[in-house]
Amino acid sequence: MKYDIKKLTLDEKIELLVGVDTWHTSSLNGKLRQIRMSDGPNGLRKEGDDGKIVSSTSMPTLSVVANTWNKELAYLDGQTIADDCVENDVDVLLAPGVNIKRTPLNGRNFEYFSEDPVLAGTLAKEYILGVQDKGVGTSLKHYCLNNREIDRIAISNECDERTLNEIYLKPFEIAIEANPWTVMCSYNPVNGVYMADNKEMLNDVLRDKLGFKGMVVSDWGAVKNGYKSVKANLSLRMPFIDFGVDEIKKGYEDGKITEQEIDEAVNYILELIEKVENSKKEISFTKDERHNNAVKIAEEGIVLLKNDGVLPLNKNKKYFINGDDSKSPIITGGGSAACKTDYKFKRLDLMLNEEGFNATSDQIIIRDDFVDYITCGHSSFKKAYESDGVILVINAPINAEAHDLESIKLYKRIEKVITETCKYNENVIVLLFAGSAIDMSGWIDKVKGVLLVGYAGEGVNEAIVNILTGKTNPSGKLSETFPLSLSDTPTGEDVDNLMVDRYKEGIFVGYRYYDMLKKDVLFPFGFGLSYSNFSYSDLEVKKLSETDYEVSYNITNNSDYDGKEVSEIYVKDVMASLSRPEKELKAFSKDLIKAHQTKRVTVKLDKKAFTYYLTAKHTWFLEEGYFEILVGGSSRCNFLKAKIYITPEEYDFSTHTVVKNGFWLYNL
Ligand code: BGC
């Protein structure tokens, strides 16, 4: 190590453990290089010296990146944001977030990938590699169980060990394979202990079990007790707090922490400084290229949910665009993820006309529930009636940090604009700007088309136009279930009380819950339409070893359009001796399949695809028995199926007893 901890005094070491301002580490009076950190997940959000946010490329939010199901695009996303970081002297990007979408009410769902740990972790890993390959560090956040914003600083999130490991830690475990330089601990207590003080979670689990090797930074203001957090192996307290240093000093003087514990925390910071100094920072995209990357990701992250023959648009028809102003689209949610772009948006109708389509627009602003649709919709309905089709730009209630949503419905008046418009025109297409799942029960049957735009960054209008016109064949699929209503969700409408949120649904989160109860949903996890029609056939599962399998199958594009198809591989444990989800996503692939062509797709499954977390042993366990491999284009479809029987090579018979029906029963 270049920096020798022995050359630092105790006072200097303690000073280094607390940020020097909102975004920097201390330089110890010029002895060390300072580290500059900045948000955030969907573009650089750097606060300049004047306190203003600098402009950067506004990329699609991670919820949209997740809807691409495209590992290369997650990597490209990271690479693009890193260029803005390099250009602005940012050393560590405070992203990505991999918290699981436990409820659609969570105000930060737009910052997170999915309800499924494998999808979230796999894409986060690529994003981290993308950023760090450019010499910029990342901060994997918010570790952990920060699944709602309501009273995030106080509510203890409580869940059992199996659920913690199978659902909530899993995306961290997968993303940690990319060696993020830092992990950010969340505000909330976990099982009664604040994360910043939680030695078991920050040290024993994060380091020893999940294999994290970098530095732990607190979420901004998450440290409640300076010396306890040192004991818990948290290195950096952000941002600066004037009592931060004194509190740690007092803890040391009172014998609550040792110098060795302080050194351990300091060493991680010194290692990070060295990483920052040694990294070769590179810019590879021009500003225009970064914008084009934003368009490319948005195009694949927008999901076509309904299309009763209205898309792509027809050059011989007349379209009327109404709803929210398409010249100022919602491109991100609020809070620390809200970056600022200087990109100048054009109205959708003008863009469509440039492509040879016939579109006019009458943009009314219906962003909240206070605008009377009648006063802003008089002439609109006339124009709707005179057109062949209407495109409605619809904003759902905005998602933002530090707030949860109260409902997953659109504002009543906005629903009314949709249903009223449908009375005047039978070809209504909704462009839905939303940060998480929406209950569409009030209007879905009346409209002919729905494109889930999400918060798709500064490339959003180009991406929409390319999809509407058919230049781009939509290929996004949902990374979260759209339930029929909020009351159908595993968490329903409320948290337990103001102190504790018990994760009562256990491992049955997202599609695992709807599958278990055989509940109908509006749109299932993994669902998304295309202008192509794909069919699956010829599934073959080749055994490579007792626990490694190669799964291959054909996908045929039965259409005149070239198109990309996301294929999803689920595993069902047929003979488990404890309750397991009906099926779980274990792999996926996204492939371009030319019109009328067939492609053979191959993916691999290893032991992790079959294990569950055995609480009694505090570890993962592979149980002998039958498993089904299910392959298809959504979590609810006509799957191709294959059966395999696994006998684990190393089977610890001493801890198990066989019962008559052939199931293994734990003898623990
Ligand atoms: C957020 C983090 C963010 C940090 C710095 C916190 O309030 O939870 O995600 O990185 O602020 O802005």
Side-chain angles (χ1 to χ4, degrees), residues 102-109 112 146-152 155 397-408 411 436 493-495 501:
R102 180 175 171 238
T103 162
L105 292 178
N106 180 16
R108 286 186 101 166
N109 273 355
Y112 301 139
N146 183 182
N147 306 98
R148 279 186 91 150
E149 287 299 285
I150 181 172
D151 254 333
R152 62 180 176 177
I155 293 186
I398 191 87
N399 283 41
E401 181 178 340
H403 301 279
D404 283 334
L405 296 165
E406 281 171 12
S407 147
I408 61 167
Y411 290 118
S436 60
E493 321 215 342
D494 297 311
V495 284
D501 188 2

Side-chain angles (χ1 to χ4, degrees), residues 172-440:
F172 285 95
E173 181 191 321
I174 299 171
I176 283 171
E177 289 168 15
N179 282 323
W181 291 4
T182 77
V183 160
M184 186 190 291
C185 86
S186 57
Y187 289 110
N188 50 284
V190 164
N191 295 335
V193 184
Y194 274 108
M195 273 309 298
D197 301 342
N198 202 324
K199 184 158 201 257
E200 187 189 345
M201 291 302 294
L202 290 186
N203 193 70
D204 312 354
V205 173
L206 181 64
R207 295 194 184 280
D208 302 346
K209 277 198 159 181
L210 306 184
F212 177 59
K213 298 198 172 55
M215 185 200 83
V216 177
V217 57
S218 71
D219 199 341
W220 268 228
V223 172
K224 295 278 171 294
N225 181 309
Y227 77 81
K228 272 197 190 164
S229 60
V230 174
K231 251 197 156 22
N233 213 346
L234 183 145
S235 289
L236 183 61
R237 280 132 207 88
M238 292 300 291
F240 171 76
I241 12 166
D242 46 11
F243 54 88
V245 167
D246 293 344
E247 214 179 45
I248 300 176
K249 247 189 216 167
K250 184 156 188 325
Y252 173 75
E253 284 160 8
D254 293 351
K256 302 264 175 41
I257 44 171
T258 62
E259 185 159 2
Q260 202 189 339
E261 283 167 328
I262 294 173
D263 282 0
E264 204 176 333
V266 169
N267 267 326
Y268 286 116
I269 303 181
L270 294 179
E271 272 169 30
L272 179 68
I273 298 173
E274 289 205 7
K275 259 184 214 157
V276 167
E277 285 191 323
N278 296 337
S279 66
K280 230 175 104 225
K281 292 197 163 70
E282 280 173 13
I283 294 183
S284 42
F285 301 116
T286 62
K287 217 170 167 350
D288 282 350
E289 284 168 341
R290 280 174 233 171
H291 174 78
N292 291 341
N293 292 345
V295 177
K296 211 167 154 182
I297 298 169
E299 275 177 355
E300 289 203 24
I302 291 175
V303 188
L304 180 58
L305 291 176
K306 180 167 182 176
N307 185 16
D308 286 353
V310 281
L311 289 174
L313 302 180
N314 185 327
K315 280 197 171 155
N316 301 317
K317 290 192 171 163
K318 203 169 130 193
Y319 295 97
F320 171 55
I321 302 182
N322 200 14
D324 261 297
D325 184 6
S326 65
K327 200 161 180 287
S328 57
I330 302 278
I331 55 170
T332 175
S336 58
C339 51
K340 186 181 138 211
T341 175
D342 52 17
Y343 181 74
K344 300 274 171 292
F345 292 94
K346 262 193 195 168
R347 270 178 19 214
L348 285 175
D349 54 323
L350 302 180
M351 295 172 77
L352 284 170
N353 293 342
E354 278 167 20
E355 297 293 321
F357 289 80
N358 179 355
T360 54
S361 99
D362 193 14
Q363 315 273 344
I364 54 170
I365 312 285
I366 46 175
R367 220 162 258 181
D368 56 36
D369 221 358
F370 303 104
V371 180
D372 188 333
Y373 80 96
I374 293 294
T375 55
C376 52
H378 279 358
S379 68
S380 297
F381 294 137
K382 180 168 173 283
K383 286 182 195 156
Y385 188 68
E386 290 164 359
S387 306
D388 298 307
V390 177
I391 299 166
L392 288 178
V393 177
I394 296 295
N395 289 322
I398 191 87
N399 283 41
E401 181 178 340
H403 301 279
D404 283 334
L405 296 165
E406 281 171 12
S407 147
I408 61 167
K409 283 194 159 205
L410 300 179
Y411 290 118
K412 278 201 186 80
R413 287 167 196 250
I414 295 181
E415 287 205 342
K416 194 99 186 190
V417 170
I418 301 175
T419 52
E420 288 293 304
T421 306
C422 290
K423 290 184 185 159
Y424 295 93
N425 191 297
E426 57 180 22
N427 294 315
V428 172
I429 301 161
V430 168
L431 307 182
L432 184 60
F433 290 68
S436 60
I438 296 294
D439 168 350
M440 304 181 194

Side-chain angles (χ1 to χ4, degrees), residues 595-606:
H596 302 288
Q597 303 270 306
T598 295
K599 183 169 181 184
R600 186 120 190 112
V601 178
T602 301
V603 295
K604 293 223 168 106
L605 296 178
D606 63 17

